[in-house]
């Protein structure tokens, strides 16, 4: 049996460790040829997400092939709107698409509450299977999208640069927006608690489009729901990653969560000033991994020294890009690991 690696759990519990743990957002899928080999045999992304044996296999790949200090369950944030009654498709080279969107009270009234063991059984089964297959080698991370980010997809029906429909709803129909955000929040709380019951040891909340909100909208629509999730989700430390909202870290620092993600736009010294008490996760620019190995190692060293010793989970400042060479990812991971020896 391999020795147990609980570095991530220890850092999130505020303990001192010889080096930071390292994992990458979007490490499962995307970059590994071994992932693409499995994916090419299937009808599509959803078949992979919805087949627990395959989701488990793909979750373990970065642990075995890259040597990361944590596994993140292979799934997607969009399974939650689907479980509420709004199915999605992943269209090749286009991205996620929702056939129906939420634009009115009548649309909203067609949504329903989420029962994870019923509507998201495949995630729960994949979580149980993966936790058991990991056998304690590294901690298992579960996740969900933050309410605002899920709201964006449910209102727009797909990706967007400006999220203008979603922001329009906040401004023009605040009561409808609040109601939808509250329903997503409740679904997210039961979903994350169910993930913990199924074996998740750490949770991450992805607020990928937090940067689309100004300070007032963020305060009114996002913060109270993030706070409620932090308070109601129990049994595992929570990492809140609000991308594009580094300038809001002073507000995010009022959340009772174990750690805050730092995106690659945010200077580490400013993040430390704004959230002095939190463990911080991040934040190398993923595009550094397009450089040479020497450049990757140098930038990783710089990131480590910027964060300083302790209170740090090494990661990129957003998800790893699909066309990055896995060897550069290995160099990033290796450099973090060497910092402790
Ligand atoms: O981190 C991991 O490796 C675990 C799995 C994971 C996926 N999506 C798998 C996936 C996680 C944590 C996510 C989160 C997610 N999904 C976010 C938040 C993180 C972020 O990047 O900001 C968002 C915004 C989504 C929505 C989504 N799902 C988009 C925009 C796409 C299109 C393509 C892409 O890769 O971003 C997806 C599909 C998706 N989710 C893929 C993977 C591996 C691509 C699937 C494939 O083509 O095989």
């Amino acid at each position: 049996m391999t020795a147990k690696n609980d570095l991530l759990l220890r850092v999130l519990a505020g303990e001192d460790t010889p080096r930071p743990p390292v994992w990458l957002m979007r490490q499962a899928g995307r970059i590994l040829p071994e992932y693409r080999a499995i994916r090419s045999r299937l009808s599509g992304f959803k078949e992979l997400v919805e087949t627990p044996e395959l989701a488990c296999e793909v979750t373990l790949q970065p642990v075995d092939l890259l040597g990361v200090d944590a596994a993140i369950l292979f799934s997607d944030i969009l399974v939650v709107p689907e479980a509420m009654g709004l199915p999605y498709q992943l269209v090749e080279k286009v991205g996620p698409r929702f056939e129906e969107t939420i634009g009115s009270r009548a649309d909203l009234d067609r949504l329903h509450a989420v029962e994870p063991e019923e509507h998201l059984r495949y995630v729960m089964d994949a979580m149980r299977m993966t936790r058991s297959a990991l056998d304690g080698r590294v901690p298992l991370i579960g996740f969900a999208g933050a309410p605002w980010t899920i709201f964006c997809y449910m209102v727009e029906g797909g990706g967007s640069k400006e999220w203008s429909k979603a922001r329009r709803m906040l401004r023009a129909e605040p009561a409808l927006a609040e109601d939808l955000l509250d329903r997503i929040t409740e679904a997210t709380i039961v979903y994350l608690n169910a993930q913990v019951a199924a074996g998740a040891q750490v949770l991450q909340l992805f607020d990928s489009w937090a940067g689309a909100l100004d300070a007032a909208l963020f305060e009114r629509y996002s913060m109270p729901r993030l706070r409620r999730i932090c308070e109601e989700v129990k049994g595992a430390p929570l990492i809140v990653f609000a991308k594009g909202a580094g300038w809001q870290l002073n507000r995010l620092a009022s959340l009772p969560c174990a750690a805050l993600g730092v995106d690659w736009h945010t200077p580490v010294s400013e993040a430390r000033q704004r959230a002095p008490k939190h463990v911080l996760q991040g934040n190398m620019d993923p595009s550094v991994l397009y450089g040479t190995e020497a450049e990757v190692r140098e930038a990783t060293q710089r990131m480590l020294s910027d964060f300083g010793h302790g209170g740090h989970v090494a990661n990129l400042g957003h998800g790893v890009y699909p066309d990055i060479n896995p060897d550069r990812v290995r160099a990033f991971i290796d450099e973090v690991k060497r910092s402790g020896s």
Side-chain angles (χ1 to χ4, degrees):
M1 208 188 97
T2 339
K4 195 169 154 203
N5 174 346
D6 59 358
L7 271 177
L8 178 62
L9 299 176
R10 284 161 54 202
V11 167
L12 292 177
E15 285 176 36
D16 191 31
T17 55
R19 66 163 176 91
V22 55
W23 68 282
L24 284 82
M25 290 185 273
R26 314 299 295 270
Q27 69 188 18
R30 281 195 158 180
I31 56 161
L32 290 170
E34 291 82 355
Y35 166 78
R36 295 207 193 97
I38 294 180
R39 172 81 162 75
S40 66
R41 289 194 265 113
L42 305 172
S43 61
F45 171 72
K46 283 186 89 172
E47 186 181 350
L48 191 42
V49 166
E50 290 166 11
T51 311
E53 293 77 11
L54 297 174
C56 171
E57 185 176 347
V58 168
T59 302
L60 298 178
Q61 283 178 343
V63 178
D64 294 328
L65 301 167
L66 299 172
V68 284
D69 294 313
I72 178 160
L73 189 77
F74 186 84
S75 186
D76 202 87
I77 63 169
L78 302 177
V79 302
V80 168
E82 179 162 88
M84 294 171 76
L86 222 56
Y88 73 98
Q89 292 301 327
L90 188 70
V91 183
E92 213 62 47
K93 298 198 166 62
V94 176
R97 277 283 167 274
F98 288 85
E99 216 160 279
E100 294 167 57
T101 55
I102 305 296
S104 67
R105 172 66 51 186
D107 297 336
L108 195 65
D109 288 341
R110 281 196 289 272
L111 299 175
H112 56 78
V114 170
E115 300 282 350
E117 288 292 349
E118 186 186 333
H119 306 115
L120 292 163
R121 184 61 182 251
Y122 57 90
V123 180
M124 300 303 137
D125 286 341
M127 191 72 81
R128 285 185 277 264
M129 205 174 277
T130 308
R131 176 70 190 272
S132 150
L134 275 169
D135 196 26
R137 276 198 294 159
V138 292
L140 177 57
I141 306 173
F143 67 91
W148 161 246
T149 289
I150 297 299
F151 176 96
C152 282
Y153 285 103
M154 292 177 87
V155 173
E156 300 272 346
S160 163
K161 278 211 175 76
E162 308 285 351
W163 303 103
S164 57
K165 280 190 195 144
R167 284 155 64 221
R168 181 198 159 278
M169 192 185 282
L170 301 185
R171 306 261 182 202
E173 291 174 278
L176 189 64
E178 300 260 9
D179 194 342
L180 177 53
L181 284 163
D182 283 340
R183 291 181 196 223
I184 300 168
T185 304
E186 294 318 304
T188 305
I189 290 168
V190 293
Y191 181 48
L192 289 174
N193 278 321
Q195 290 188 40
V196 174
Q201 294 160 285
V202 172
L203 298 168
Q204 176 152 323
L205 207 50
F206 284 93
D207 205 354
S208 302
W209 313 122
L213 297 177
D214 71 10
L217 292 182
F218 188 76
E219 200 59 39
R220 171 168 178 190
Y221 291 102
S222 223
M223 276 302 286
R225 277 123 191 147
L226 294 175
R227 184 176 311 283
R228 202 171 134 67
I229 293 170
C230 291
E231 286 167 356
E232 296 300 323
V233 173
K234 302 194 166 79
L238 182 66
I239 305 166
V240 176
F241 176 55
K243 188 177 174 288
W247 56 285
Q248 295 279 38
L249 275 167
N250 55 330
R251 294 298 303 128
L252 291 159
S254 72
L255 295 174
C257 59
L260 292 167
V262 183
D263 66 22
W264 56 269
H265 297 86
T266 308
V268 175
S269 57
E270 288 181 24
R272 284 284 192 214
Q273 259 170 26
R274 290 178 191 147
K277 295 199 183 82
H278 277 75
V279 171
L280 297 180
Q281 171 175 281
N283 80 333
M284 196 172 83
D285 175 355
S287 77
V288 168
L289 301 174
Y290 288 123
T292 64
E293 184 180 326
E295 284 162 347
V296 169
R297 289 186 183 276
E298 196 188 310
T300 309
Q301 279 304 328
R302 210 174 316 125
M303 171 192 75
L304 292 169
S305 83
D306 285 351
F307 277 98
H309 181 80
H312 179 215
V313 176
N315 206 313
L316 300 177
H318 195 205
V320 61
Y321 303 133
D323 59 347
I324 275 172
N325 176 352
D327 283 337
R328 296 295 180 272
V329 174
R330 288 188 183 94
F332 171 70
I333 293 167
D334 181 60
E335 206 56 33
V336 176
K337 290 187 168 178
R338 280 166 25 137
S339 70
S341 54

